Amino acid sequence: MYDSAPNLTSRRRSVRYRLLAIALVPMLIILPLLLGVSINRWNDKFDAMTVSKVNDDLTIAHQYVARILDNIEGRLTAVGESARFQELVSKGEYSTGDLSGLLKDVAQARKFDFLYVVGDGGHIIVSGYPMALPSIRSNWPIIRSALEGHSKTGMDVFSADDLAAISPELAQRARIAIVPTKGSTASDLLKEETHGLVLQSASALTLPDGQRAALVGGILLNQNLGFADTINNLIYNDAALPEGSHGTVTLFLNDIRISTNVRLFEGRRAIGTRVSEEVRSAVLDQGRTWLDSAFVVNDWYISAYEPIVDSYNRRVGMLYAGFLQKPITEAKLETLLSIAAAFLFAAAATIPLFLIWTSGIFRPLERMSGTIARIQEGDLSARTGPIENKDEIGQVSLHLDHLLDLIQERDAELRRLNEDLNHRVEQRAQELHDATLQLEARTKQLVMSEKLASIGEITAGVAHEINNPIAVMQGNLEVIRDLMGSNAENAKTEFLLIDQQMHRVTEIVTKLLQFAKPQEYAGYAEQYVAAGIVSDTLPLVQHLLKKTTISVTREDRALRPIMMNRTELQQVLVNLIVNAIHAMPQGGQLTLRTFDSDLDGQAGVAIEVADTGIGMTPDVIQKIFDPFFTTKTREGTGLGLSISQMLMTRQDGKITVKSELGNGTTFTIWLPEAS
C-alpha cells in the first residue's frame, strides 16, 4: 500500500529537484570535474615538460664540461708533440729559459693557471710560471697515469697546501668566504673554503735520458666566472625561456658554489653560498641526479643537479643548471584563472535559461504525478485535464487520460480474466521450459554427432587412401631390393630418397590424425638425446644472439636418452636462453652443457644454461618461479619461469637455479632417463 497523502508534496518536490538536477548537474558538477581532471593532466604534463627541459639543459652543460676536458688533453698533447717543444726538450737545457718561456706563452694563450713538466720523483723539471716549491705532490692518479705512458684528464680537489706549492697567488684565489644560506647544512666551524677544484690534465713525455716525465696543466675553477657564464650563454639564449624567467648555471665544490651566475643580490654573485640539505643528500651522499624544484639561494628554481667525481672516483662536487620557477608558476596560475573565469561566465549565462526551460516541465509533470497518486489511492476517475503546453509533455498528458479511461473500462474484465490467465501462463511457461531443455539437448547431440562423423570420415579416408598404399609401396620396394640383389647398391641413393619421402608422407598423415583427434596426441613424448634438442633450439634464438656480442659455448657429454615432448622442452630452453641474453646487455659468455646426472638415486640427464651476466640477489632467486614476478621493467609477463617449472614437474623433472650478484646465473634442467 502507498502512503499517498503524506508523501504527495515530497514526490512533487522530487520531480522538481530531479529535473533541476538533470539541467544543472552537467554544468555545475560534471563539467567542473572534467575541467579539473583535464587541468590536472595538463599541469602534470606541463611539469613533466619543464623537468625534461632542465634535464636537457644539464645534459648540455655536462657535454660542455666533457668537451673542455677533451680540449685540455688535446692541447697538452699538441704542445708535447710540437716541433719546438721536442727541439727544446731534446737539448736537455731546461734552465736556459727558452723552454720555460714556451710553456708560459702556451699557458697564457690556453688560459692555464699552471703548466709544468714533472719528473718521476715529483720534482719540477721546468714550469711556465714560477713554482713556489721545487717538488710538489705527484701522486695524483692523472699524473701517475701520464708517468706510466697514458695521458689523462679529470677534475681534482687541491688543498690549500697543494695550491700554495704551485703558487701562493693561486691558493689565495681559491679562498672563498662561506655565506650562510637558507636550508643548507652550513656549520659554524667552517667559515672559509680553502680547497680548489681544478681541471687537471697530464700528457706523457719521455726525456732524452730515457726518464719518464709528464707535461701537467690545470685550470682553477674557484671564482672562474667565465666558466659558468659560457655554459649559461650556451644553454639559455633569449628565446629559450618564458618571459620573466632566467637560466642559471653553477659549479659546486662539495656543496659550496665556487662558480655561478646566480645573484645573491644586485651586483654580487652567490659565490660561497651552499646548496640545500635535501639536494646535498640526494646528489653528494646518494649519487643521484636531482630533477625537481629546489630552493636556490633566495628563490625557487626548476633545477637539475648531477655529481662531479674526481680522478679517485669520489663525489667532490656538483654541476647545476636551472631556471626561475616563479614566472612559469604565474603563467600556469593565469591560465587556470582564465579557464575558471570562462566557466563562471558560461554558467552565469546559461543557468537562468535552464531554469526557465525546466519550469515548463515542472508543472505538467506535477499535475500528472498528482493524478497517478489518486489512481494509486483507488480513485479510478482521477484525470489530469487539459495542459496549456502542446508539446510532447502535453501529448503524454492527453494519452495518460485516455489510457486511464481504458483502464477504468477494462478493469472489471481484467479482474475476471486474471486468474484464468495466470493459470494458463504458468502452464505454457512450464511447457516452453521443458521444450527448450529438450531442444538444447538434441542440438548438442546433433552437433557432436556431425563433428564425430566428419572426423571419422577424414581419418578413415586418410588411413585407407594413404597409409595402405604406402605400406604396399614399402613392401614392393623391399621386393625390388631383393630382386636386384647386389645391383641394388648402384641405386642406394635413390632407394634412400624413396624411403625418406614415404616416411615424410607417413608423418603428414600422423599430423593430420593428430589434428583430427588432438586428445589422443596431447603431451606426446618421444625418446631422444639431449644434445639434439639443444641443437634444434639454438636456431630459434639466433636472431637475438646476432644483435649482441655474446659467444656461445657447448659441452655435450650426455649419453642417456630422455623422454619429453620436444616442443615443450624447446619452450623451456628458449625461455632460459632469452633470459640469459637479457642478463648480458654488454655481452658475455653463454654456456650450454648436457651431461648424465643422478638425482635422489634416480638416473637422469642434466641440461645447464649458464651466463656471465648481472646475476641475482637471494631475494630475487626466491621469487623468480612465482607467477607474474619479473625484473624486467618495460617487457615480460613474469610467467615464463613459472610455466617452465610446471612443464618440468609434469614430466617428473626439476629446474633449479644458482646465481650470485655480478657473477652470472646457471639454470639446471634435470629429466629422468627414458626407460
Side-chain angles (χ1 to χ4, degrees):
M1 295 294 295
Y2 289 89
D3 187 11
S4 58
N7 294 329
L8 181 59
T9 303
S10 64
R11 281 200 294 272
R12 288 177 177 174
R13 290 180 178 176
S14 176
V15 170
R16 179 182 296 273
Y17 293 153
R18 290 180 183 178
L19 288 175
L20 284 173
I22 292 173
L24 300 180
V25 163
M27 173 63 72
L28 298 181
I29 297 179
I30 297 178
L31 184 57
L33 286 176
L34 293 176
L35 284 175
V37 171
S38 301
I39 291 172
N40 184 63
R41 288 179 58 84
W42 169 80
N43 186 65
D44 292 342
K45 294 290 185 183
F46 192 91
D47 291 342
M49 289 177 60
T50 59
V51 171
S52 177
K53 158 69 177 169
V54 79
N55 185 40
D56 293 340
D57 298 341
L58 180 63
T59 301
I60 296 173
H62 176 86
Q63 292 174 346
Y64 178 80
V65 173
R67 188 178 68 179
I68 290 178
L69 293 174
D70 291 340
N71 288 344
I72 290 176
E73 184 173 336
R75 293 170 186 174
L76 283 185
T77 302
V79 171
E81 294 176 354
S82 66
R84 178 60 176 165
F85 182 87
Q86 292 292 334
E87 177 185 356
L88 294 175
V89 169
S90 64
K91 294 179 180 180
E93 299 175 356
Y94 308 122
S95 59
T96 59
D98 293 340
L99 184 56
S100 176
L102 174 63
L103 293 181
K104 182 177 182 180
D105 293 339
V106 171
Q108 291 176 348
R110 302 298 187 181
K111 298 182 179 180
F112 285 105
D113 291 315
F114 58 84
L115 185 63
Y116 59 84
V117 177
V118 62
D120 203 7
H123 62 282
I124 302 300
I125 297 176
V126 62
S127 174
Y129 296 112
M131 302 290 287
L133 297 176
S135 179
I136 64 172
R137 176 182 174 184
S138 62
N139 62 344
W140 299 103
I142 291 175
I143 297 179
R144 290 202 311 268
S145 177
L147 292 175
E148 293 171 1
H150 307 287
S151 299
K152 191 173 182 180
T153 303
M155 289 191 181
D156 279 308
V157 177
F158 280 50
S159 66
D161 293 338
D162 294 332
L163 293 171
I166 298 174
S167 168
E169 180 186 353
L170 206 60
Q172 182 61 33
R173 205 175 90 196
R175 294 181 179 274
I176 295 176
I178 296 179
V179 179
T181 311
K182 180 180 178 181
S184 69
T185 56
S187 172
D188 294 337
L189 300 178
L190 187 59
K191 300 298 183 181
E192 183 180 60
E193 177 60 71
T194 60
H195 291 76
L197 186 62
V198 177
L199 285 176
Q200 184 175 216
S201 181
S203 179
L205 296 176
T206 302
L207 301 179
D209 59 358
Q211 178 186 356
R212 287 189 177 276
L215 177 61
V216 182
I219 299 174
L220 178 64
L221 298 178
N222 291 35
Q223 305 189 63
N224 191 332
L225 304 183
F227 181 84
D229 291 343
T230 301
I231 299 178
N232 188 76
N233 294 334
L234 179 66
I235 300 174
Y236 300 110
N237 51 46
D238 295 337
L241 294 172
E243 183 178 357
S245 184
H246 61 270
T248 54
V249 174
T250 300
L251 188 67
F252 290 84
L253 174 57
N254 291 321
D255 61 344
I256 300 172
R257 291 177 176 86
I258 61 171
S259 178
T260 183
N261 65 332
V262 177
R263 302 291 176 175
L264 185 60
F265 46 81
E266 190 64 31
R268 179 181 175 185
R269 304 198 184 204
I271 293 178
T273 58
R274 309 185 80 156
V275 78
S276 66
E277 169 59 19
E278 185 180 9
V279 174
R280 183 192 184 283
S281 175
V283 180
L284 287 180
D285 296 342
Q286 303 174 30
R288 296 191 291 110
T289 298
W290 175 278
L291 297 173
D292 204 345
S293 298
F295 190 80
V296 178
V297 182
N298 52 19
D299 213 335
W300 287 91
Y301 285 71
I302 306 296
S303 305
Y305 295 81
E306 70 174 14
I308 295 175
V309 296
D310 63 3
S311 58
Y312 293 94
N313 202 30
R314 300 174 303 190
R315 292 189 289 272
V316 297
M318 294 179 288
L319 180 62
Y320 155 85
F323 46 89
L324 190 62
Q325 184 177 358
K326 183 177 180 181
I328 296 174
T329 303
E330 291 175 348
K332 288 167 58 177
L333 181 60
E334 181 180 351
T335 302
L336 295 177
L337 292 176
S338 300
I339 294 173
F343 169 76
L344 293 175
F345 176 80
T350 56
I351 288 176
L353 293 177
F354 289 157
L355 295 176
I356 294 172
W357 291 339
T358 53
S359 64
I361 302 174
F362 296 154
R363 291 187 295 272
L365 290 177
E366 288 173 351
R367 288 178 60 182
M368 286 187 283
S369 176
T371 300
I372 294 172
R374 291 167 60 191
I375 294 294
Q376 291 173 345
E377 293 173 357
D379 183 7
L380 297 181
S381 63
R383 300 294 183 267
T384 303
I387 297 293
E388 296 132 350
N389 296 336
K390 302 302 180 183
D391 54 9
E392 292 83 357
I393 294 180
Q395 295 296 321
V396 169
S397 176
L398 292 176
H399 287 302
L400 176 61
D401 286 349
H402 178 66
L403 289 173
L404 292 176
D405 292 337
L406 295 177
I407 290 173
Q408 187 176 15
E409 293 173 358
R410 297 180 182 177
D411 179 74
E413 183 181 359
L414 289 174
R415 290 179 183 275
R416 290 192 302 268
L417 298 176
N418 181 59
E419 184 176 352
D420 181 62
L421 181 60
N422 287 339
H423 176 71
R424 291 183 181 183
V425 168
E426 291 176 359
Q427 184 179 2
R428 295 292 176 88
Q430 184 61 40
E431 292 174 356
L432 180 60
H433 178 70
D434 295 339
T436 302
L437 293 178
Q438 293 178 3
L439 180 60
E440 290 178 354
R442 291 177 180 178
T443 301
K444 291 180 180 179
Q445 292 176 357
L446 179 60
V447 172
M448 183 60 67
S449 299
E450 289 178 352
K451 287 184 177 180
L452 294 175
S454 299
I455 294 174
E457 289 176 2
I458 292 173
T459 55
V462 168
H464 179 73
E465 296 296 332
I466 299 179
N467 280 346
N468 289 343
I470 290 299
V472 173
M473 292 169 63
Q474 288 177 333
N476 288 335
L477 187 61
E478 293 298 327
V479 173
I480 292 173
R481 284 197 184 98
D482 294 338
L483 292 176
M484 291 182 66
S486 59
N487 292 328
E489 280 299 310
N490 297 330
K492 181 179 180 180
T493 302
E494 288 70 20
F495 282 127
L496 179 60
L497 290 174
I498 294 172
D499 285 334
Q500 291 175 345
Q501 296 305 313
M502 287 193 294
H503 179 67
R504 182 181 177 189
V505 173
T506 302
E507 288 183 341
I508 294 173
V509 173
T510 301
K511 291 179 180 178
L512 180 59
L513 294 175
Q514 182 178 355
F515 172 79
K517 299 180 180 180
Q519 69 279 4
E520 297 180 8
Y521 290 85
Y524 174 76
E526 58 180 326
Q527 289 191 17
Y528 47 86
V529 178
I533 195 67
V534 175
S535 299
D536 293 343
T537 303
L538 281 175
L540 301 179
V541 295
Q542 194 62 40
H543 65 288
L544 296 176
L545 290 170
K546 289 181 179 179
K547 299 177 182 179
T548 67
T549 57
I550 297 174
S551 60
V552 180
T553 301
R554 292 188 55 183
E555 296 178 15
D556 297 321
R557 295 184 280 111
L559 301 178
R560 298 170 180 170
I562 57 176
M563 178 177 287
M564 182 177 176
N565 181 273
R566 294 182 68 92
T567 302
E568 292 179 350
L569 184 53
Q570 278 187 333
Q571 178 183 349
V572 175
L573 289 175
V574 167
N575 182 265
L576 296 181
I577 293 174
V578 169
N579 287 346
I581 293 173
H582 290 168
M584 296 184 288
Q586 306 301 325
Q589 180 76 29
L590 175 62
T591 304
L592 304 175
R593 302 185 184 94
T594 63
F595 54 92
D596 296 335
S597 175
D598 295 339
L599 181 63
D600 297 332
Q602 185 178 4
V605 173
I607 304 175
E608 284 188 354
V609 179
D611 64 70
T612 58
I614 58 178
M616 295 179 288
T617 63
D619 292 339
V620 174
I621 294 174
Q622 291 178 358
K623 299 177 181 178
I624 58 173
F625 292 108
D626 294 343
F628 304 106
F629 176 79
T630 180
T631 58
K632 304 172 185 177
T633 57
R634 296 186 178 179
E635 62 184 73
T637 63
L639 291 173
L641 288 177
S642 62
I643 291 176
S644 299
Q645 187 182 52
M646 180 270 294
L647 294 175
M648 298 304 301
T649 303
R650 191 173 66 185
Q651 201 65 29
D652 295 330
K654 190 175 183 181
I655 180 170
T656 58
V657 60
K658 293 181 179 179
S659 182
E660 185 178 352
L661 193 63
N663 292 325
T665 303
T666 299
F667 281 89
T668 303
I669 298 170
W670 183 89
L671 286 168
E673 181 182 9
S675 57

